[in-house]
Amino acid sequence: MKLYLQLVEFSGVSLQNEHIFYAVCAKVMRRILIDAARARRALKRGGGAEELPIKEELIGESGKSVDVLALDQALQRLAQLDERKSQVVECRFFGGMSVQETAQVLNVSQETVLRDWRLARVWLFRTLGSEGCHAG
């Protein structure tokens, strides 16, 4: 329901095809998770943001979770360096898209998505370090 309501805010965006729709959904899902993590952090008076378990097939590290707010900040920094790599992570992690779906949404080859995904994961794990990822 919350996803739908926030999608309505994008009424000015032309959702001409399903690829654009999925990209917008991933962006909105990211925003919903960030807002929820911020609200939980505020309720806990700085007691820590919500952590999400990382899907092994998406990130490659089982038994880990990630601080959503730290991930968002890292993705903002990554977007400044390489917007497409940030979009790949957003589609795969927040949108739950496959490599093929991500390639279609971003209008690039699957090989490009795989390469960007590998490099973005390495960059994110280095950036987040022990502070953003935790054994679970």
Side-chain angles (χ1 to χ4, degrees):
M1 178 72 162
K2 195 169 196 171
L3 177 62
Y4 173 77
L5 292 175
Q6 291 205 11
L7 281 173
V8 172
E9 289 180 27
F10 281 92
S11 59
V13 175
S14 174
L15 300 177
Q16 301 165 359
N17 64 46
E18 67 181 280
H19 306 304
I20 294 171
F21 174 75
Y22 290 133
V24 170
C25 284
K27 209 169 265 312
V28 171
M29 184 56 72
R30 176 181 175 185
R31 190 168 62 183
I32 288 170
L33 291 171
I34 298 309
D35 290 346
R38 285 187 180 132
R40 282 188 200 94
R41 179 174 278 176
L43 287 174
K44 293 180 180 180
R45 298 178 187 221
E50 180 73 8
E51 294 182 356
L52 293 176
I54 297 176
K55 290 184 178 180
E56 183 175 354
E57 68 272 12
L58 290 182
I59 302 295
E61 298 275 339
S62 62
K64 298 238 180 200
S65 60
V66 67
D67 179 325
V68 178
L69 296 178
L71 176 61
D72 182 57
Q73 291 173 351
L75 282 176
Q76 289 174 26
R77 288 194 303 267
L78 179 59
Q80 292 173 350
L81 300 171
D82 191 321
E83 179 69 24
R84 191 181 65 218
K85 284 181 181 62
S86 176
Q87 291 171 334
V88 166
V89 173
E90 190 170 71
C91 288
R92 300 272 293 137
F93 187 79
F94 291 100
M97 295 179 202
S98 68
V99 170
Q100 180 179 4
E101 291 166 334
T102 302
Q104 290 172 337
V105 165
L106 298 179
N107 198 29
V108 297
S109 71
Q110 290 183 40
E111 292 78 21
T112 297
V113 170
L114 286 170
R115 182 178 56 250
D116 285 352
W117 182 239
R118 280 191 301 269
L119 293 171
R121 287 187 328 193
V122 169
W123 188 90
L124 286 169
F125 275 112
R126 287 182 179 164
T127 300
L128 293 171
S130 61
E131 164 180 326
C133 291
H134 309 283

